[in-house]
Amino acid sequence: MRCEAAVTGIGMITPAGLTTESTWAAVCRGQSTVRTDPDLEGLPVDISCRVDGFDADAVHGRRLARRLDRFTQLALAAAHQAVRDAELDPAAWNAPRVAVVLGVGSNSLHSYFHEFEVLNQGRPELVSPLALPRSVPNMAAAEVAIALDARGPNFTVASACASGATALAVAADLVTSGACDIALAGGAESGRSRMTVTGFHQMHALSQRTDAPHLASRPFDVDRDGFVLSEGAAVLVLERPQHALRRGADPRARLCGHACTSDAYHPVAPHPEGTGVEHALRTALEGAGLEPGDIGHINAHGTSTPTGDVAEARALQRVFGPEPPPVTAPKSILGHALGAAGAIEAALTVLTQQHQLIPPTANLLHQDPDCELDIVTQAPRAAAFGAAISNSFGFGGQNTVLVFTAD
C-alpha cells in the first residue's frame, strides 16, 4: 500500500523561533543559535541551543505548566500551533478518528534529576507526587491527546535521534491504512540537562568549541568535532487526502514514502559505509514510486560528527550518483534536538518544498573531501523541484527516511 498522507498543518518551537514562521525565517538567514548556556556552567561543555522566550505559564496556564516537564510543554505548544495552522477545530472533529504519535529521546531528564537530588538530600517527603507522571516517556503524546480530545491511537516512538521522523512514518501508516482520519505527529525534546551533556561529552560526541559557540556545529566541514545539544518540538498534522479534500483544506505537501531500517552494527556508531542508510533511501524511494532523479532536495541528518557525516555522504553518493541533489544540514543552525530533530527537519523539508527555497548550511568553511555533496551555504538557494527527502538516524543504528512531494 503506497503511503498517502496530506500535510495540512505545522507547529514548531525551536531555538530559532517560537513559531513556524519565525523558525523558517531564522533558518533561512543561516545564523547559528549555539551559545553559552548558564545552566551548564562548570561543565567541560557549556554550550547549547536553547529555546529562549518560551513562557510555559503564559502559554499553558500556571497550573498545567507545573504538571508538565519541559519537553511536554514544548510538544503541547507545537501541537496547538499545528492544529491552528491546519484550521481544524478539535471541538468539531471525530475524536476517535484522531491519532497522536510523538517521538522522544531522553524525555524528562530535567524533572527526574531534580527529584533525584531532593531524594539524595534525605528528604523523600519532599519528592513531588508529579515526579513519575512527568517522567514517563509517553506523557507528551498523552497530554496532547488530553488537551485536544484526540481519542484515536496514541503512540510514543523511541528510536533515539530518529524518533521524530519515525513517529511521522508510523502516523502516515495509520492514516494510509484508514485507522484514522487525522494524526498529530512529530517529536519533542529538551536535551540540555547537565547529566545528558556530561554523558555525551564523556562519549566524545559533543563539539569542544566552547570558545567560539557560533562555529561549533559544522556538518560536513573538515574541522567538525561533534554536535551541539538542543531542544525544541515540531508537530505536523497528517490527514487522509480525501478527508482534507472534503473539508476544503489546502495541504502544504504530501508524505508519500518512508522507510525505517537498522544498521545492526554498533550501539552508537553508524556503519562506516552507511549501508543501512542506503537501504532506507532506496526503500523509501521505491515506496513513493520515485527514482533518485526525481528528488530535488535532501535535508541531511548531518550532525557534525566525524564518522556520521561521512557515512551519510557515502550513502547519498551511492544512491544519487556523482551529482546528488542540493543538500542542507539544519543542525548547523539549530543544534541537535535528539528525539525532536527528525520532526523539526521534516517540517523544514516541507517548508523548503513549499517555498522552493533551500536554506543554507552554516559554518561550512572547508568542505570535507570525503563528503562530496552539493551543500547549500552562505545564502538560501532558489530551486524548482517536486520531491524532497529528509534523513534521520540514531543510536542503535536507527535510520528513517521520509519522502515529501508537492500536493
Side-chain angles (χ1 to χ4, degrees):
M1 183 183 298
R2 180 167 296 176
C3 174
E4 282 288 343
V7 181
T8 58
I10 297 175
M12 300 175 73
I13 298 179
T14 73
L18 302 182
T19 65
T20 300
E21 294 75 17
S22 58
T23 294
W24 172 250
V27 168
C28 285
R29 287 194 295 271
Q31 296 175 347
S32 170
T33 61
V34 183
R35 52 199 179 280
T36 301
D37 189 337
D39 293 339
L40 305 179
E41 184 178 0
L43 297 182
V45 173
D46 61 356
I47 58 176
S48 75
C49 299
R50 62 184 186 272
V51 175
D52 286 332
F54 177 71
D55 186 341
D57 288 354
V59 173
H60 301 305
R62 177 171 168 77
R63 184 174 181 179
L64 176 58
R66 289 184 63 193
R67 179 172 104 199
L68 309 177
D69 188 82
R70 184 167 174 84
F71 86 107
T72 304
Q73 294 172 350
L74 297 173
L76 185 55
H80 279 294
Q81 287 183 24
V83 169
R84 286 194 299 270
D85 184 52
E87 298 183 341
L88 284 164
D89 179 4
W93 64 26
N94 185 359
R97 299 281 299 169
V98 180
V100 179
V101 188
L102 294 181
V104 300
S106 59
N107 62 291
S108 53
L109 292 180
H110 289 281
S111 295
Y112 180 86
F113 285 113
H114 172 75
E115 301 300 338
F116 188 75
E117 288 175 5
V118 173
L119 183 63
N120 268 0
Q121 291 167 5
R123 302 297 302 273
E125 72 279 6
L126 295 182
V127 172
S128 171
L130 297 174
L132 290 180
R134 284 194 192 116
S135 299
V136 291
N138 73 307
M139 198 48 63
E143 290 286 1
V144 168
I146 292 166
L148 295 171
D149 191 28
R151 286 179 262 154
N154 190 289
F155 299 132
T156 297
V157 175
S159 53
C161 302
S163 297
T166 310
L168 285 160
V170 171
D173 283 347
L174 289 173
V175 169
T176 300
S177 70
C180 61
D181 297 322
I182 302 168
L184 311 180
E189 195 83 86
S190 182
R192 294 171 39 251
S193 78
R194 294 175 67 85
M195 179 60 75
T196 304
V197 172
T198 301
F200 277 119
H201 168 70
Q202 292 297 97
M203 294 170 58
H204 306 289
L206 299 182
S207 172
Q208 307 297 303
R209 205 170 269 105
T210 57
D211 57 339
H214 64 291
L215 298 175
S217 186
R218 48 200 313 139
F220 304 112
D221 189 273
V222 72
D223 292 321
R224 65 192 182 280
D225 69 335
F227 61 82
V228 177
L229 281 168
S230 181
E231 63 180 351
V235 173
L236 283 69
V237 177
L238 304 184
E239 291 188 58
R240 287 193 304 114
Q242 303 93 321
H243 185 273
L245 180 64
R246 279 201 305 270
R247 70 180 189 87
D250 183 18
R252 290 176 176 266
R254 290 202 187 201
L255 175 50
C256 67
H258 62 76
C260 301
T261 67
S262 173
D263 285 352
Y265 172 74
H266 191 274
V268 297
H271 191 286
E273 296 300 321
T275 55
V277 173
E278 179 184 358
H279 180 46
L281 286 163
R282 295 191 187 280
T283 304
L285 287 170
E286 182 180 357
L290 298 174
E291 298 294 331
D294 296 323
I295 301 300
H297 167 57
I298 297 168
N299 189 302
H301 182 62
T303 57
S304 186
T305 59
T307 57
D309 289 3
V310 171
E312 181 174 15
R314 287 173 177 167
L316 291 174
Q317 289 159 0
R318 287 196 302 274
V319 172
F320 293 99
E323 296 184 4
V327 172
T328 193
K331 292 182 183 69
S332 64
I333 297 167
L334 301 174
H336 195 349
L338 305 178
I344 291 170
E345 290 159 19
L348 290 173
T349 304
V350 170
L351 294 168
T352 298
Q353 183 164 288
Q354 192 172 20
H355 293 283
Q356 298 284 278
L357 189 68
I358 302 172
T361 299
N363 301 325
L364 188 63
L365 304 181
H366 305 286
Q367 187 166 337
D368 189 336
D370 288 332
C371 300
E372 292 186 10
L373 301 169
D374 177 15
I375 302 172
V376 178
T377 63
Q378 298 184 335
R381 182 191 299 179
F385 58 93
I389 277 178
S390 183
N391 288 340
S392 296
F393 319 130
F395 279 179
Q398 311 283 331
N399 307 302
T400 298
V401 173
L402 305 174
V403 183
F404 293 95
T405 58
D407 184 65

